[in-house]
Amino acid sequence: MADSDSDYVQDGSEEEVSRHQITRGVKAVRAGPDQSKKWEVARPWDDVREDATGAIAVDDMLEAGKRKRKLKDTTPLQRGIIRHLILVIDCSTAMLETDMRPTRYLLTLRYAQAFVLEFFEQNPISQLGIIGMRDGLAQRISDTSGNPSDHIARLQTIREQEPKGQASLQNALDMSRAALFHAPTHTTREVLLLYGSLLSSDPGDIHQTITALANDHITCVVIGLAAQIAICRTLVSRTNPSMPVSESYTVALDDIHYRELLMRATTPPPTASSTTNTNGAQKQSGIIGGSTLLSMGFPSRITDRLPSLCACHSRPTSGGYLCSRCSAKVCALPSKCPCCGLTLILSTHLARSYHHLFPLRNWKEVSWQRAALCPDTVACFSCLAAFPPAQLRRADSGAGAKEAGEGTRTKVGKREKRKEIGISESGRYECETCHTFFCIDCDVFCHDVVHNCPGCQSREGDLLDRGLDGDGDGRDGAG
Amino acid sequence: MSYCRPNSEKGGLKPKAKQESTPEAAAEKPWPEGGTWVHLSPQDLTRLGKMEAIDSSEHYEKTKEESPASLLVIILDTNPHAWFALDDQLPLTSAIAHICVFINAHLAFNDANKVAVIASHNQRAVFLYPTPPTAATQHDASTAQNDSSADVEMVDASNGTSANPSSADANKYRPFHQVQQAMTSAIQKLMDETKPESLASTTAIAGALTLALTYINKQTILANSVLPSSDTNATGAHDENAPVLLTSRILILSVSGDLANQYIPIMNTIFACQRKSIPIDIAKIAGDSVFLQQASDATKGIFIQVEHPQGLLQYLMMGFLSDPTSRQHLISATQAGVDFRAACFCHRKVIDMGYVCSICLSIFCSPPEGSVCLTCGTHLSLGDYGKVPAVIPKKKKDKKGKAKEKVADTEN
């Protein structure tokens, strides 16, 4: 097992991860849930690595972040921005396991709250509902709505109730189907299952339910906590044929991986090509009707001196937003006007989703050769941190610097091989549109948080003067 | 430590003499009860002093109570068009003088406070302070490192720009002087580089904001990396409970108006600020911009419309000097009404009700022609928007049927 662990750390490819999961699943099934964790103690010392001189390599941490960035696909895809998602939480006795601290159940609830917040952060005009699987029944935890605080309040109330009985996949799926049935055609219909059990106790034939889900274009994604289960595999492969099973059915290895998998689901799913419907053959994706023009209101905020009742909760509030069609007062946005049914949003909510549609392109690693061509750039453009100087490197590797590609790779072997994953040997990363060099911190920050290229945004005038241009299809800064 | 008492009262001599007379007793009873005196040699006293310095927890508590250092990033809109229009009220030179005083006040607040100044020029954004290192300066530094034995000419931190410091600057606090020198020379350089043909009425505020954010991110990482336990990842997902060592804020001195062409990048930076809880303060000297209002509203910053530009310094000192930590205890000036209306993508009209493409979320003031989205080119199904509600015609057949039934009923 030690071997496979270190393999995983070393190249961490998707393939390796999935193989890892399968072994784990098989083991867990064979050994039973109570023994499944004995061979899986945390081994933090495996993550520490020494470099050639014997010092602990610090850049591995950076590399990990970098790899995360690399996995991100930056092709601009049509995505289902307006989503309807049902989160199904396992509340059966299997969730009492303590392989994730404190228990699977409490950890899941904690992560679910973070998920709700992040989901509405990323998808402000989407709807979410939560269903629990407890004691063989499906239990509605919170109704489908667009208000994160409602969901979080409901999640906090079910903390007190102990997990009980078995989970019933069929009941939960039927209830989700009923909740998603009315969703408009231009939205996605998704079910996200957090499944800790190794079985499903169902009242009827679950395959009929799966067929019904597939007919209703509902896509199901499962995050397992224990092992891969055949029925979940069938479920995801039947309900989203356009997505590989390794993406739609994942098993969490530990709590950090669990959080990562859960947070990955907050990104809106790409729309499958067959969505643009050719009469009736629209089986491929959650979106059935394709594109629609939606009528929306952009209300302005008002502050009254005296409180008045809001139309949504009938509570006295002094601030709020007036519906632009019927002037009813609602307390929070985004929401649907309770009187006339107009969708009320802020333009900032729409803008929040734009970075999914216009992703920032990945920056290229800069070789020493390329770095030597630009001796003027000695520091990161955006944070002014100095780069390792090119002269030093040339002194190190002598004449070999010319063919930095093969020469050094054979010399330093493994280390160089790891660097290929996405670490730049010169510590520089170049935006292909504006040809500016950045450091790794700025690279990760720009791609994860800002979604802007500092170079493209602040050098437009310079670019015009110098007559440089991007690589043709560069993202237009002005959008 | 408790047995070491200052012998100020009762006269130290007598007990001291007693202890000296019976050294055996002192050895037997190292912890005398009830305030008897123990003689301590000067060595003992220094040792105790050291111990006290080492294991007293006072030191650590003090750092916790101290307010964290504050990083202020000032974005100065240096659009020449707008400053020319303002020239009779507030020339750029005096505005810079005001800003320098403000920066000095900020730096004087806390020894660890930092400042960065970014110019948002037309079409590009550049750092004014700290000065971006160039190949020449770095070469100097590297040679200085390599042959430390050689006699190296002392290079000023402001990169030799202050070759002849006037006698008036001699008594100036050095950090103030450095910032001022670097800033004025950088602005001078920037204005010299500006050619008449490259003048446009816009300003690269999105680029400046992005630069400010990346700089803040780097400084935060550097500040946190002092603590070995803290996690220095860029997303900041895991270090929610880590102590805050550096609070940052952004102050924009804005003189330009229209920013519509940078809508998406500006919005991206606003959301990044929201996630990182960095307030964006706006001092709106001239022009009008909806986005900046929304920026300060969304990030809980301060928005002040500077009505009398001559008194810029007072606005800065009274309105913007407090850092995020002290703002928790202050009621800051901000404006109540914020314009949230959107502008449509087709005519740039400000609308309060519109149509949104479900694929690319473009906003239109009316259904686009041919029902094809102007941004993404998707064919949109229009739904029933804008039509007059249909009245269902009365169905004659039903009536006849009903009438027949009625007839039948009556017949029966």
Side-chain angles (χ1 to χ4, degrees):
Chain A
M1 221 43 240
D3 281 347
S4 80
D5 271 356
S6 52
D7 272 353
Y8 168 60
V9 174
Q10 267 173 19
D11 43 34
S13 58
E14 282 294 318
E15 216 180 289
E16 195 60 48
V17 174
S18 60
R19 222 191 302 160
H20 206 76
Q21 286 160 3
I22 292 166
T23 29
R24 181 179 186 278
V26 169
K27 280 245 176 177
V29 171
R30 201 187 298 147
D34 47 346
Q35 294 173 7
S36 61
K37 290 297 171 299
K38 287 201 172 152
W39 53 279
E40 258 202 2
V41 278
R43 302 168 53 124
W45 53 87
D46 278 351
D47 298 340
V48 181
R49 195 168 288 284
E50 289 178 0
D51 63 8
T53 57
I56 291 173
V58 190
D59 59 341
D60 273 21
M61 262 161 45
L62 298 176
E63 191 181 340
K66 186 76 182 170
R67 202 183 292 147
K68 202 167 68 189
R69 174 186 81 83
K70 274 311 236 186
L71 290 176
K72 221 189 264 177
D73 187 12
T74 59
T75 346
L77 291 170
Q78 211 182 76
R79 289 179 184 274
I81 294 288
I82 307 172
R83 304 170 70 181
H84 274 73
L85 185 126
I86 301 290
L87 179 67
V88 181
I89 297 177
D90 191 347
C91 302
S92 65
T93 44
M95 297 297 279
L96 287 170
E97 288 285 326
T98 53
D99 54 350
M100 293 184 186
R101 298 282 166 187
T103 61
R104 283 182 191 173
Y105 184 65
L106 294 175
L107 187 80
T108 303
L109 289 188
R110 188 148 63 86
Y111 282 176
Q113 293 179 27
F115 173 80
V116 169
L117 284 178
E118 184 68 17
F119 179 82
F120 284 108
E121 182 86 3
Q122 300 284 331
N123 311 281
I125 44 179
S126 301
Q127 303 274 316
L128 180 75
I130 307 177
I131 288 176
M133 292 183 283
R134 187 165 181 263
D135 206 7
L137 297 172
Q139 175 193 34
R140 174 165 294 146
I141 295 174
S142 74
D143 292 332
T144 312
S145 83
N147 188 351
S149 51
D150 287 354
H151 297 303
I152 287 176
R154 296 294 303 157
L155 281 173
Q156 270 160 356
T157 57
I158 65 157
R159 268 181 90 87
E160 276 94 57
Q161 75 176 31
E162 283 277 301
K164 192 182 168 195
Q166 305 286 354
S168 166
L169 211 49
Q170 191 189 12
N171 283 340
L173 289 175
D174 274 334
M175 191 182 262
S176 321
R177 190 164 73 94
L180 291 173
F181 184 74
H182 73 284
T185 52
H186 58 268
T187 64
T188 65
R189 301 171 170 190
E190 298 167 71
V191 178
L192 173 63
L193 289 126
L194 309 178
Y195 205 62
S197 313
L198 291 171
L199 53 90
S200 163
S201 101
D202 295 325
D205 184 5
I206 192 169
H207 291 280
Q208 282 178 1
T209 309
I210 295 175
T211 314
L213 286 171
N215 287 340
D216 283 339
H217 319 290
I218 295 171
T219 55
C220 297
V221 171
V222 182
I223 297 175
L225 302 182
Q228 284 216 351
I229 313 163
I231 188 65
C232 290
R233 219 182 151 77
T234 320
L235 171 70
V236 297
S237 61
R238 296 250 341 251
T239 53
N240 27 195
S242 59
M243 206 196 274
V245 179
S246 61
E247 270 179 46
S248 52
Y249 185 20
T250 44
V251 175
L253 300 172
D254 52 26
D255 49 351
I256 295 165
H257 188 219
Y258 184 24
R259 193 189 163 94
E260 234 166 67
L261 292 174
L262 198 54
M263 288 306 159
R264 201 197 285 170
T266 58
T267 311
T271 311
S273 55
S274 56
T275 307
T276 44
N277 60 41
T278 50
N279 53 29
Q282 336 124 331
K283 289 175 189 167
Q284 294 292 311
S285 144
I287 300 182
I288 26 176
S291 44
T292 323
L293 200 61
L294 310 167
S295 179
M296 287 186 185
F298 303 95
S300 24
R301 192 168 63 187
I302 52 146
T303 34
D304 287 338
R305 203 181 304 154
L306 296 172
S308 57
L309 295 181
C310 68
C312 40
H313 304 95
S314 301
R315 279 189 216 126
T317 48
S318 56
Y321 302 87
L322 292 188
C323 169
S324 23
R325 188 192 276 164
C326 67
S327 297
K329 193 174 94 169
V330 292
C331 25
L333 295 185
S335 66
K336 203 166 215 180
C337 173
C339 298
C340 65
L342 183 70
T343 314
L344 300 175
I345 51 163
L346 296 179
S347 53
T348 48
H349 290 129
L350 294 180
R352 214 177 264 278
S353 298
Y354 285 149
H355 74 261
H356 295 302
L357 301 167
F358 311 109
L360 181 59
R361 295 168 84 202
N362 281 337
W363 293 343
K364 228 172 42 180
E365 302 87 45
V366 177
S367 64
W368 280 113
Q369 223 175 338
R370 172 98 177 88
L373 290 178
C374 308
D376 291 342
T377 51
V378 290
C380 170
F381 175 76
S382 54
C383 70
L384 308 181
F387 287 134
Q391 299 96 320
L392 286 184
R393 174 68 189 190
R394 250 178 296 175
D396 278 354
S397 53
K402 234 176 194 179
E403 61 260 58
E406 291 84 0
T408 47
R409 195 182 305 160
T410 46
K411 240 187 257 173
V412 204
K414 226 178 209 175
R415 213 174 139 60
E416 285 298 315
K417 195 185 154 203
R418 279 199 299 120
K419 286 198 166 189
E420 276 174 40
I421 297 167
I423 292 296
S424 162
E425 53 179 3
S426 62
R428 296 158 166 84
Y429 299 88
E430 182 184 7
C431 170
E432 290 180 78
T433 314
C434 61
H435 300 285
T436 318
F437 291 170
F438 302 97
C439 68
I440 185 160
D441 292 326
C442 292
D443 183 320
V444 174
F445 182 68
C446 286
H447 284 89
D448 282 353
V449 183
V450 190
H451 310 288
N452 274 349
C453 170
C456 301
Q457 289 307 321
S458 55
R459 276 196 155 180
E460 283 166 60
D462 261 13
L463 284 179
L464 292 177
D465 291 347
R466 281 194 260 150
L468 288 172
D469 60 338
D471 288 354
D473 55 344
R475 185 174 85 104
D476 184 13
Chain B
M1 273 162 270
S2 60
Y3 57 90
C4 173
R5 280 225 197 139
N7 40 2
S8 57
E9 50 198 351
K10 290 188 197 171
L13 268 177
K14 192 186 154 194
K16 191 181 171 187
K18 191 180 164 189
Q19 285 293 336
E20 272 176 347
S21 64
T22 56
E24 304 90 4
E28 280 172 16
K29 268 184 154 186
W31 297 88
E33 302 159 8
T36 37
W37 297 92
V38 178
H39 172 67
L40 290 169
S41 65
Q43 285 87 0
D44 285 341
L45 279 173
T46 49
R47 192 163 48 87
L48 279 174
K50 271 182 195 165
M51 275 169 65
E52 196 162 359
I54 287 165
D55 53 13
S56 94
S57 54
E58 203 179 312
H59 170 68
Y60 298 101
E61 282 164 10
K62 203 177 166 191
T63 49
K64 263 185 200 167
E65 282 167 16
E66 247 175 31
S67 62
S70 164
L71 168 64
L72 168 69
V73 180
I74 297 179
I75 295 177
L76 176 61
D77 184 351
T78 55
N79 181 5
H81 270 289
W83 280 107
F84 182 74
L86 265 177
D87 202 44
D88 52 340
Q89 286 181 304
L90 179 76
L92 180 58
T93 45
S94 58
I96 290 167
H98 290 187
I99 293 166
C100 280
V101 176
F102 176 64
I103 289 174
N104 291 353
H106 169 75
L107 291 177
F109 244 93
N110 186 339
D111 201 27
N113 274 5
K114 290 177 189 167
V115 72
V117 187
I118 298 168
S120 152
H121 208 55
N122 49 3
Q123 299 194 340
R124 67 199 190 115
V126 283
F127 272 100
L128 297 180
Y129 181 85
T131 321
T134 57
T137 55
Q138 197 169 61
H139 182 70
D140 286 347
S142 63
T143 47
Q145 275 175 1
N146 286 345
D147 40 19
S148 53
S149 60
D151 194 15
V152 180
E153 196 194 349
M154 296 292 282
V155 180
D156 202 21
S158 53
N159 302 323
T161 45
S162 59
N164 298 316
S166 63
S167 57
D169 294 338
N171 291 326
K172 203 180 249 182
Y173 182 49
R174 193 169 161 75
F176 293 175
H177 179 72
Q178 283 174 356
V179 175
Q180 193 178 330
Q181 279 293 332
M183 215 175 99
T184 44
S185 61
I187 286 191
Q188 193 61 48
K189 196 173 147 227
L190 182 69
M191 288 303 174
D192 290 345
E193 282 174 3
T194 309
K195 295 169 209 145
E197 60 265 29
S198 68
L199 284 182
S201 62
T202 59
T203 183
I205 202 85
L209 273 170
T210 317
L211 283 184
L213 274 169
T214 46
Y215 185 77
I216 288 173
N217 175 49
K218 187 70 164 201
Q219 294 298 322
T220 314
I221 290 175
L222 290 177
N224 286 343
S225 64
V226 176
L227 276 187
S229 58
S230 70
D231 190 356
T232 58
N233 62 346
T235 49
H238 300 296
D239 51 357
E240 284 150 4
N241 300 325
V244 182
L245 294 172
L246 185 74
T247 58
S248 314
R249 66 186 198 273
I250 298 174
L251 167 63
I252 303 180
L253 296 160
S254 167
V255 290
S256 311
D258 176 47
L259 302 164
N261 58 336
Q262 300 175 46
Y263 179 65
I264 292 174
I266 290 181
M267 283 299 164
N268 283 341
T269 55
I270 293 174
F271 299 135
C273 284
Q274 236 175 353
R275 275 179 79 158
K276 293 277 169 190
S277 53
I278 299 167
I280 302 180
D281 301 338
I282 314 283
K284 193 81 192 137
I285 302 172
D288 188 34
S289 165
V290 180
F291 301 153
L292 294 182
Q293 271 188 32
Q294 294 182 2
S296 73
D297 182 74
T299 57
K300 299 188 177 66
I302 300 171
F303 184 96
I304 294 182
Q305 184 86 38
V306 179
E307 280 159 22
H308 305 284
Q310 306 91 317
L312 176 65
L313 180 61
Q314 183 145 12
Y315 282 99
L316 292 176
M317 291 299 223
M318 306 309 286
F320 299 105
L321 192 55
S322 53
D323 65 353
T325 328
S326 50
R327 273 181 204 178
Q328 292 163 4
H329 311 289
L330 298 171
I331 298 172
S332 38
T334 191
Q335 58 176 36
V338 181
D339 194 355
F340 279 114
R341 285 174 304 167
C344 72
F345 285 27
C346 44
H347 306 98
R348 298 261 164 229
K349 269 194 287 187
V350 175
I351 51 172
D352 57 4
M353 220 176 106
Y355 299 90
V356 175
C357 167
S358 74
I359 301 294
C360 65
L361 302 182
S362 309
I363 307 165
F364 302 108
C365 56
S366 57
E369 277 177 40
S371 65
V372 172
C373 172
L374 299 174
T375 311
C376 62
T378 322
H379 186 85
L380 301 167
S381 56
L382 279 179
D384 291 333
Y385 301 124
K387 286 184 186 167
V388 183
V391 182
I392 300 168
K394 285 183 180 174
K395 287 181 181 171
K396 279 188 176 174
K397 201 180 169 185
D398 279 359
K399 262 210 159 170
K400 270 181 191 169
K402 269 187 186 171
K404 268 181 191 171
E405 275 172 28
K406 254 189 181 176
V407 172
D409 280 347
T410 46
E411 275 176 5
N412 285 340

